[in-house]
């Protein structure tokens, strides 16, 4: 084990339910191993502004059940420059940080990788994003909670859809990946699911609606990932209304409601495991890696691979979605 005196922890990029649980695990994991934890506020901006504070076990009491991140998060343009990263390094060195745990997504990991390459600060990434699009882990912190939030919202919208013979287009997050749309669409019984990974989505939708009409369906739920190639959910709704005047098309964009809320049990446990694993990786002298889970086991992936590669949609799950929407 490497002798470390201080470990810094920060959250960066978009917030995700379970980040607080991960912070808590890093802080208490550090203390358990005799290392002093240092909290950095507002991500890399906090490193540049020298907004650092030594914390203790009580500092992270009663936060495991809270969504968001009590350390706050920010996208820092200054940190994208070499001068900004040099300033962040000087503050980290002045604070005697021997390592850094970065909780966030691929943009946050890019910053960690550059900081390590340019200045030699050991960095460990913990995947915190609701999109579940980080390579090297089956699940990212916040994904499970977001799925439950979306399913609950769709269930409520369906009540209105069936009461008024309406066609609801529900846009969910997923600019580059359709994990949220595919899984929530299946779980909520959507008639159609449109995701970025799918070709000819509009044609498929039109064919599906025709089949639904012949099957006697009077209302439908269409789940659309924001990155779908159809041209946007509002344009999609207008196109469908022209072709199917019997439907009254409505659009609901769930937006940032998907990021909020109390983290699920799954996310709390996942965040706790990965936070502890990040601390123990630094203690072993490891750096430049992300900790994740594969087949329920903690695994480590080089940050470069986590950033450059992407999780792929399960083709079998797409087939399941096609089968159960008949």
């Amino acid at each position: 084990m490497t002798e470390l005196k201080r470990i810094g922890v920060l959250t960066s990029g978009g917030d995700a339910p379970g980040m607080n649980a991960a912070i808590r695990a890093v802080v208490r994991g550090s203390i358990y191993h005799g290392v002093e934890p240092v909290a950095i506020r507002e991500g890399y901006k906090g490193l540049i502004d020298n907004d650092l504070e030594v914390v203790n076990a009580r500092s992270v009491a009663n936060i495991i059940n809270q969504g968001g991140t009590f350390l706050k998060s920010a996208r820092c343009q200054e940190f994208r420059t070499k001068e900004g990263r040099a300033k962040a390094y000087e503050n980290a060195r002045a604070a005697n940080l021997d390592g850094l745990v970065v909780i966030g997504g691929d943009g946050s990991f890019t910053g960690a990788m550059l900081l390590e390459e340019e200045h030699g600060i050991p960095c460990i990434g913990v995947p915190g994003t609701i999109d579940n699009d980080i390579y090297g882990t089956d699940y990212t912190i916040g994904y499970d909670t977001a799925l439950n939030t979306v399913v609950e919202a769709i269930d409520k919208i369906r009540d209105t859809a069936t009461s008024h013979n309406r066609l609801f287009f529900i846009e969910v997050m997923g600019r580059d990946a359709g994990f949220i749309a595919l899984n929530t669409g299946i779980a909520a019984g959507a008639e159609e699911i449109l995701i970025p990974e799918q070709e000819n989505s509009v044609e498929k939708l039109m064919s599906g609606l025709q089949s639904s009409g012949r099957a006697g369906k009077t209302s439908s739920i269409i789940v659309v990932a924001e990155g779908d190639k159809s041209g946007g959910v509002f344009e999609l709704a207008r196109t469908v209304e022209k072709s199917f005047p019997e439907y009254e098309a409505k659009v609901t964009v769930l937006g940032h409601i998907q990021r909020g809320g109390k983290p699920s049990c799954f996310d709390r446990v996942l965040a706790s495991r990965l936070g502890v694993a990040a601390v123990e990786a630094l203690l072993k002298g490891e750096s430049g890696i992300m900790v994740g889970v594969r087949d329920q086991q903690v695994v480590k992936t080089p940050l470069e691979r986590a950033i450059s590669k992407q999780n792929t949609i399960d083709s079998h799950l797409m087939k399941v979605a096609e089968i159960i929407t008949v």
Side-chain angles (χ1 to χ4, degrees):
M1 302 288 274
T2 302
E3 185 178 351
L4 303 179
K5 294 182 178 179
R6 280 188 171 184
I7 291 176
V9 58
L10 62 83
T11 51
S12 176
D15 64 288
M19 279 185 165
N20 278 327
I23 296 166
R24 175 179 180 268
V26 172
V27 168
R28 294 190 173 179
S30 298
I31 293 169
Y32 177 86
H33 288 289
V35 180
E36 200 169 38
V38 177
I40 303 163
R41 299 190 180 278
E42 296 190 71
Y44 293 118
K45 181 177 182 295
L47 267 182
I48 291 174
D49 294 343
N50 203 28
D51 192 357
L52 291 74
E53 178 186 3
V54 176
V55 290
N56 57 41
R58 301 284 69 77
S59 303
V60 291
N62 302 317
I63 66 168
I64 193 171
N65 61 316
Q66 296 177 13
T69 162
F70 92 102
L71 289 182
K72 299 188 181 296
S73 183
R75 289 183 169 89
C76 181
Q77 292 300 319
E78 188 177 357
F79 190 78
R80 295 175 183 268
T81 67
K82 282 192 174 184
E83 294 77 13
R85 291 191 293 273
K87 186 176 180 181
Y89 165 69
E90 290 301 327
N91 288 332
R93 188 175 67 171
N96 296 316
L97 295 186
D98 299 310
L100 188 64
V101 176
V102 175
I103 305 167
D106 53 4
S108 305
F109 293 166
T110 299
M113 190 171 67
L114 290 171
L115 191 62
E116 180 169 2
E117 288 176 354
E118 294 169 2
H119 302 288
I121 298 180
C123 293
I124 304 294
V126 174
T129 168
I130 68 168
D131 292 328
N132 203 49
D133 58 350
I134 302 294
Y135 179 80
T137 184
D138 290 336
Y139 303 102
T140 58
I141 296 167
Y143 174 60
D144 184 72
T145 304
L147 292 181
N148 287 306
T149 299
V150 172
V151 168
E152 183 179 0
I154 295 175
D155 286 347
K156 292 178 179 178
I157 290 170
R158 184 178 288 280
D159 292 342
T160 293
T162 55
S163 297
H164 297 277
N165 294 340
R166 285 176 178 167
L167 179 65
F168 266 92
F169 289 86
I170 302 173
E171 183 186 272
V172 300
M173 286 185 171
R175 185 180 57 206
D176 302 309
F179 293 100
I180 292 177
L182 180 58
N183 283 270
T184 59
I186 291 173
E191 280 68 31
E192 296 293 335
I193 304 167
L194 280 66
I195 59 176
E197 295 87 348
Q198 189 177 54
E199 299 295 333
N200 305 316
S201 56
V202 176
E203 292 83 350
K204 181 177 178 295
L205 171 62
M206 295 299 186
S207 175
L209 289 175
Q210 287 178 343
S211 298
S212 295
R214 288 193 296 269
K217 291 184 180 180
T218 58
S219 64
S220 289
I221 296 290
I222 315 298
V223 176
V224 184
E226 62 181 323
D228 173 68
K229 300 178 177 68
S230 61
V233 67
F234 289 97
E235 180 61 31
L236 189 61
R238 285 191 288 268
T239 300
V240 169
E241 270 194 322
K242 290 178 183 177
S243 301
F244 299 91
E246 66 271 23
Y247 281 117
E248 181 184 1
K250 297 290 184 181
V251 174
T252 298
V253 178
L254 294 183
H256 284 80
I257 191 175
Q258 297 161 88
R259 289 194 185 279
K262 293 179 179 294
S264 64
C265 176
F266 182 91
D267 274 329
R268 298 183 199 192
V269 174
L270 176 65
S272 298
R273 291 182 71 188
L274 297 186
V276 169
V279 171
E280 293 182 343
L282 283 173
L283 288 167
K284 291 176 183 176
E286 298 175 296
S287 63
I289 61 170
M290 179 197 77
V291 291
V293 288
R294 289 284 198 197
D295 299 324
Q296 300 303 316
Q297 300 300 313
V298 172
V299 296
K300 297 161 185 176
T301 303
L303 285 176
E304 186 175 8
R305 291 189 68 195
I307 294 164
S308 62
K309 301 189 73 173
Q310 192 173 32
N311 276 347
T312 56
I313 287 289
D314 186 340
S315 58
H316 176 68
L317 202 57
M318 291 180 67
K319 184 64 177 179
V320 169
E322 180 182 343
I323 292 171
I324 64 176
T325 55
V326 296

